[in-house]
Amino acid sequence: DGIAIANTIQPLNSIGGVDIVNGEIGVVSSGFSNANHAFGRFQNIVAGDSSINSKVVFADAARNGSSVDVWTNLNSLEWTAYINNSILPSAGLTDKQVQVVWFQHSHFQPGIFSPPNNQFPGHAQLLEGKLEQVARNLKIFYPNLKLIYVSSRERAYHSNPGAPSPSFYEYEEGF
C-alpha cells in the first residue's frame, strides 16, 4: 500500500541512517526535457510553502535530450557524472537520502525507432519494458528509494512521426 510506504519515509543522514534532527528527505525527478521543465515549475510552486516538511529537499535530475534509452543504461553519464557528481551535491543530498522519485520518460522519435510498422501496442510495450528498467536502475542508484511516481508524457503538439515525440505516440503510451 502506497500510503503505508509513504508513512515510513523519514529524514536520512548522508550515509542513509535515520536522522530526525539533521537528515533530509530527497525527492528527485528523472526524465527528459519536459520532465525537467515540469519539475522546475513544481519546485517554484512549492518554494516557500510552509506546509511542506522542511526536511524535504527537491533535486531536478531530469535532463534535456535524455530519452528513456539513456536512463536504461547504468553506465550513462546521466547516472554517474550528472546526478551523483552534480545534481545531488548541488541540492545538498546524497544518493542514500533519495527516497522519492517522480519520473516522466518517453522515446526519442518513436516513429523511427519503434518495432516494425510502429503499430500499437508494440511501441507502448517497448516503452513499458524500458520504464521497468529505469525503475530498477533507480533502485540501484538510490538504495533507500521507497516511492516512484510515474507520469506519462503530455501532449507535444507534433503529428510528424519523425518528430522527437509525436503526440499520437504519447497518447498510446500513456498506460
Side-chain angles (χ1 to χ4, degrees):
D1 175 65
I3 294 173
I5 293 169
N7 287 330
T8 68
I9 294 175
Q10 300 181 65
L12 303 177
N13 62 26
S14 63
I15 58 171
V18 174
D19 184 345
I20 302 300
V21 175
N22 298 309
E24 306 285 354
I25 299 169
V27 178
V28 176
S29 66
S30 173
F32 61 114
S33 58
N34 288 51
N36 173 267
H37 301 297
F39 200 77
R41 288 189 304 271
F42 170 74
Q43 287 179 287
N44 289 336
I45 291 169
V46 300
D49 184 336
S50 62
S51 69
I52 304 291
N53 184 326
S54 64
K55 298 295 183 180
V56 174
V57 176
F58 297 99
D60 188 358
R63 187 158 183 187
N64 293 338
S66 295
S67 71
V68 70
D69 295 303
V70 172
W71 296 98
T72 59
N73 179 357
L74 280 172
N75 298 314
S76 77
L77 290 176
E78 269 70 5
W79 293 111
T80 55
Y82 179 66
I83 294 176
N84 287 341
N85 297 336
S86 178
I87 296 300
L88 293 181
S90 294
L93 292 170
T94 69
D95 57 334
K96 293 173 183 56
Q97 292 172 301
V98 175
Q99 297 177 71
V100 180
V101 170
W102 170 73
F103 82 61
Q104 180 188 57
H105 288 278
S106 72
H107 283 121
F108 177 74
Q109 294 182 314
I112 295 173
F113 299 108
S114 290
N117 302 322
N118 303 317
Q119 297 295 312
F120 180 79
H123 58 85
Q125 290 168 333
L126 181 64
L127 179 62
E128 179 182 30
K130 290 178 181 183
L131 294 178
E132 291 170 0
Q133 183 60 52
V134 172
R136 287 189 289 275
N137 291 353
L138 288 167
K139 187 61 179 164
I140 291 168
F141 274 89
Y142 306 129
N144 294 313
L145 180 63
K146 295 186 177 191
L147 292 174
I148 300 173
Y149 294 96
V150 181
S151 294
S152 60
R153 168 85 155 80
E154 72 275 4
R155 185 177 165 97
Y157 298 97
H158 298 290
S159 60
N160 176 354
S165 197
S167 290
F168 51 88
Y169 287 103
E170 288 124 21
Y171 175 78
E172 293 176 348
E173 292 174 349
F175 51 87

